[in-house]
Amino acid sequence: MAEAGDRGTPRPPRAPWRFLRLTAGYWNGPRRWPVRGAILLLVLLTLAQVALAIWISYWNRDLFDALENRSGGALWRLAGSFGLIFLLTVAVTALHLEVKRWLQLDWRRWLTELLVGQWMDHARHYRLQFAPGDHDNPDARIAEDVRIATESAVGLFHSLLYSVLILGSFVDILLAVSGSLQLPGSGVSIPSYMVLAAFLYAGAGALLGLVLGRPLVHSTNRLQSVEANLRYGLARAREHAESVVLMHGEAHERENAARLFADVGRGWNRQTLAYLGIVSFSTGYGTLLPVLPILIAAPQYIAGTMTLGLLMQAAQAFQRLSSALSWPIDNLGELARCRASVDRIVSLHEDMQAMARHDRGEECSEEVCLYHAAHADLDIRQLRLLAPTGQLLLEGLDLHVRRGERVLITGDPAVTIALFKAVAGLWPWGGGEIVLPRDQDMMFVPQRPYLPAGSLRALLAYPQDAARYDDAGLLRALECAGIAWLAPRLDDSDDWSHALPLRAQQRLGIARVFLQQPAWIFIEEATDAFELKEEQSTMEMLHHELPDATLLHICLHNGLEHFYDRRLDLQRHGDRRAHPRHEGAASTAAPGSAATLPEA
């Protein structure tokens, strides 16, 4: 198979073009008219900025001519016209800034919503960490790289448009005022020599600047990646602060932070070296720019063919023209920064698109396929589960769970948890089919529930709106879960994952079940912090409060068998300790398979 870039194989478009395709929905979507109106207004205000620059050029010419002629009346008239120029410049600049920042924020909002929607859809925010590709720190890419890309792109568009308009305008001015240069003693005349000099000066500067600035793109991309790694490492230490303290892991976390910062330091130093050449060149280039045009035009002024006003206008036009032609050099750092962020955004988006193709079943033959069917039962057909490393966990599982059944799942923890995640759509590794009941709400209760910061009322209702449930229902859920002592704190806000011990956190996860009353409940060791009597009491309450619900419960210790219609014992593929037995509800499955036994 020919690789990308081989003869006959079209190369994929570069990241900036793929970024434009990604964001086409913003410019052409339902809000396209306000967006296009803002762009049109931005262009018109840029035109106004250029018109004011032309006006100030002619104003400077008249000013220096008045000074040369020692004309007091002309000087006072020019002072009055400058007041108008000043007011218009302030107004146009302020309005331009407002429109530009509105567009930057609005575009960032749209792109953030798009990427967050893709990231959160079909559990991709979880699955992405196991998928191949360049998508490290997706949260940082969405929060930071989207900001950089949208702000820089709008800013660069404006500065480029301004430079192009300045280029066209001041070429005409320079052509009109510079005249021709007579080379002494040769009789040779160079027409429009200042325009030619401006192009030669800016062209040489652009060429040298691009060569010196090439390493800046790569070093900036690398620096943004290691900066994101440092932020992620510190955020992870904060999220798991309690565990770190209990295990006395502070020294390890300090070492990890130091290692991550060392990567930042190396990236920073590489970027510094890349900046060194371009900044040194830019400094010399900018220092020479105000002086060079005056030196070039001085012979005409000395010869008397150019007034002082024309000399200063020509010098200013030369500077404007050279600055416009130097746009790539002046913006090289911002271009590199924008390009690095665009690359990271496009890479994340394309990796999530690849996952979406899997979700649509386009490549389902190599993964666990998840479907919804019209019937009310759960069907698992020839399920094959692999570890992310490729190790076989389970082979050939066929399981049919009827609506209202209670199934206890025991066995190897790696296999049972993989099954839990596969039914939830979080475990694509393997093969076979999982057919979920259509229009049946299924709640998955993990071992450690997610407890978002906020009020206890909102936590219990999560992910639903707390307004859906009245106080009586909330209090009843707490009572059934054995944590009625939390009832007075319904409207208190706290960081519950740190404020409560694990047992209380697990009881809150079970309280959600009592409150939301789903038709299907899949529990993953969510009561393992309970005493046996507490677990039994919880199971009795589930039977009483949700008599028609289907329950699949992963539990790796004994004492709860009598609450279930049957037991499913799963062992890792190739585990020689497991042997087929058919002796009743507590039997064990064959290696790598599962026994589904008759009702006890």
Side-chain angles (χ1 to χ4, degrees):
M1 182 180 294
E3 295 182 0
D6 289 351
R7 183 173 298 177
T9 303
R11 288 186 175 184
R14 291 183 178 272
W17 295 110
R18 305 205 303 272
F19 180 73
L20 289 177
R21 283 208 305 251
L22 164 63
T23 59
Y26 176 68
W27 314 105
N28 303 315
R31 298 185 63 252
R32 60 184 177 274
W33 294 118
V35 172
R36 292 176 182 179
I39 296 172
L40 177 60
L41 185 55
L42 191 67
V43 171
L44 293 175
L45 290 168
T46 304
L47 286 170
Q49 289 178 322
V50 173
L52 287 167
I54 295 171
W55 189 359
I56 200 70
S57 171
Y58 282 97
W59 183 89
N60 275 319
R61 169 179 166 176
D62 294 338
L63 174 65
F64 282 100
D65 282 341
L67 292 173
E68 185 179 31
N69 296 327
R70 293 177 172 81
S71 173
L75 188 63
W76 285 111
R77 287 194 301 272
L78 288 168
S81 62
F82 181 78
L84 179 59
I85 294 173
F86 174 80
L87 292 175
L88 288 174
T89 300
V90 170
V92 168
T93 302
L95 184 57
H96 179 275
L97 179 65
E98 178 69 23
V99 174
K100 184 177 75 171
R101 288 181 64 83
W102 179 90
L103 188 60
Q104 288 171 327
L105 180 62
D106 195 63
W107 190 14
R108 179 186 176 187
R109 180 187 297 112
W110 179 89
L111 186 54
T112 299
E113 290 175 354
L114 174 69
L115 293 177
V116 169
Q118 292 178 333
W119 189 43
M120 288 294 175
D121 196 23
H122 290 87
R124 292 190 194 111
H125 61 290
Y126 170 81
R127 294 160 51 203
L128 197 65
Q129 59 189 318
F130 302 106
D134 178 19
H135 45 244
D136 58 289
N137 302 312
D139 53 328
R141 297 185 187 218
I142 295 172
E144 187 65 13
D145 287 310
V146 168
R147 180 189 66 81
I148 293 172
T150 52
E151 288 183 6
S152 296
V154 174
L156 289 168
F157 165 74
H158 162 250
S159 62
L160 178 60
L161 177 63
Y162 181 80
S163 296
V164 170
L165 293 173
I166 285 289
L167 177 63
S169 302
F170 280 86
V171 161
D172 287 340
I173 293 175
L174 198 55
L175 284 171
V177 302
S178 64
S180 301
L181 177 65
Q182 299 291 332
L183 296 180
S186 65
V188 177
S189 175
I190 304 176
S192 306
Y193 71 101
M194 290 194 71
V195 175
L196 179 61
F199 273 91
L200 289 175
Y201 182 73
L207 181 61
L208 185 57
L210 287 174
V211 172
L212 292 173
R214 186 182 298 273
L216 189 60
V217 175
H218 303 292
S219 61
T220 299
N221 195 354
R222 172 62 182 166
L223 180 59
Q224 288 181 208
S225 295
V226 295
E227 290 275 15
N229 290 339
L230 176 61
R231 288 193 298 270
Y232 176 78
L234 294 176
R236 184 172 176 81
R238 175 180 56 80
E239 291 170 2
H240 299 277
E242 182 179 343
S243 299
V244 171
V245 171
L246 291 174
M247 298 181 67
H248 304 288
E250 292 89 345
H252 175 79
E253 296 301 324
R254 282 196 298 269
E255 291 174 3
N256 186 53
R259 179 182 58 79
L260 292 172
F261 191 83
D263 290 340
V264 172
R266 285 188 288 270
W268 180 272
N269 290 333
R270 279 195 290 266
Q271 191 188 49
T272 299
L273 291 175
Y275 265 125
L276 184 62
I278 191 66
V279 169
S280 301
F281 167 73
S282 298
T283 301
Y285 183 89
T287 303
L288 184 59
L289 185 57
V291 179
L292 182 63
I294 294 177
L295 295 177
I296 294 174
Q300 289 194 78
Y301 176 71
I302 294 171
T305 59
M306 181 180 285
T307 66
L308 180 61
L310 284 174
L311 172 66
M312 299 309 296
Q313 187 180 28
Q316 186 186 60
F318 185 98
Q319 292 180 50
R320 293 276 192 176
L321 186 58
S322 298
S323 296
L325 291 169
S326 303
W327 182 87
I329 304 306
D330 295 338
N331 292 278
L332 191 60
E334 190 65 18
L335 284 167
R337 185 165 167 260
C338 182
R339 173 62 187 269
S341 291
V342 163
D343 287 345
R344 287 165 59 80
I345 292 169
V346 168
S347 176
L348 174 63
H349 169 69
E350 291 178 349
D351 287 345
M352 290 193 295
Q353 279 191 318
M355 295 183 71
R357 288 193 291 272
H358 287 294
D359 295 337
R360 292 192 296 269
E362 296 176 15
E363 302 175 33
C364 206
S365 60
E366 300 179 359
E367 292 189 348
V368 176
C369 298
L370 203 66
Y371 303 108
H372 286 83
H375 57 70
D377 297 342
L378 169 68
D379 269 321
I380 297 177
R381 304 166 184 166
Q382 288 298 301
L383 183 63
R384 182 171 181 260
L385 295 178
L386 303 175
T389 58
Q391 180 185 11
L392 182 60
L393 299 177
L394 185 69
E395 181 74 51
L397 172 64
D398 289 299
L399 177 66
H400 180 83
V401 180
R402 297 187 303 274
R403 177 75 167 85
E405 272 194 290
R406 308 292 172 104
V407 181
L408 178 64
I409 302 173
T410 61
D412 188 286
V415 182
T416 58
I417 292 172
L419 176 63
F420 175 84
K421 294 181 177 179
V423 176
L426 303 180
W427 197 275
W429 304 284
E433 298 179 355
I434 298 176
V435 184
L436 301 176
R438 185 179 297 277
D439 300 328
Q440 297 286 335
D441 54 321
M442 179 175 283
M443 178 179 285
F444 293 87
V445 186
Q447 184 179 32
R448 186 154 193 164
Y450 173 57
L451 306 178
S455 70
L456 185 61
R457 181 188 303 273
L459 182 151
L460 287 170
Y462 183 87
Q464 309 294 336
D465 186 355
R468 295 182 55 178
Y469 305 101
D470 57 20
D471 287 358
L474 292 164
L475 295 174
R476 178 61 180 167
L478 292 174
E479 181 182 356
C480 292
I483 45 176
W485 54 273
L486 282 173
R489 302 194 63 189
L490 268 181
D491 294 309
D492 290 357
S493 293
D494 205 339
D495 186 357
W496 301 101
S497 60
H498 292 92
L500 298 175
L502 178 58
R503 183 179 300 183
Q505 292 181 40
Q506 289 190 336
R507 288 189 178 278
L508 280 174
I510 297 298
R512 281 184 181 143
V513 177
F514 288 116
L515 178 66
Q516 300 180 29
Q517 300 192 348
W520 289 72
I521 308 164
F522 204 149
I523 300 176
E524 177 214 2
E525 300 182 73
T527 59
D528 63 345
F530 295 11
E531 298 288 344
L532 178 58
K533 290 183 178 180
E534 294 175 325
E535 279 191 295
Q536 292 174 341
S537 175
T538 300
M539 291 302 107
E540 289 174 357
M541 191 62 70
L542 281 172
H543 278 268
H544 180 268
E545 296 291 317
L546 290 87
D548 299 322
T550 309
L551 178 62
L552 296 95
H553 185 189
I554 296 175
C555 185
L556 303 183
H557 53 267
N558 298 323
L560 301 177
E561 291 85 353
H562 60 283
F563 290 104
Y564 298 91
D565 302 320
R566 50 178 168 157
R567 191 177 98 179
L568 180 68
D569 191 77
L570 302 176
Q571 297 298 331
R572 189 187 295 260
H573 182 82
D575 189 345
R576 295 182 180 178
R577 294 173 301 171
H579 301 283
R581 290 179 9 184
H582 302 280
E583 300 176 357
S587 69
T588 303
S593 62
T596 57
L597 304 174
E599 295 183 0

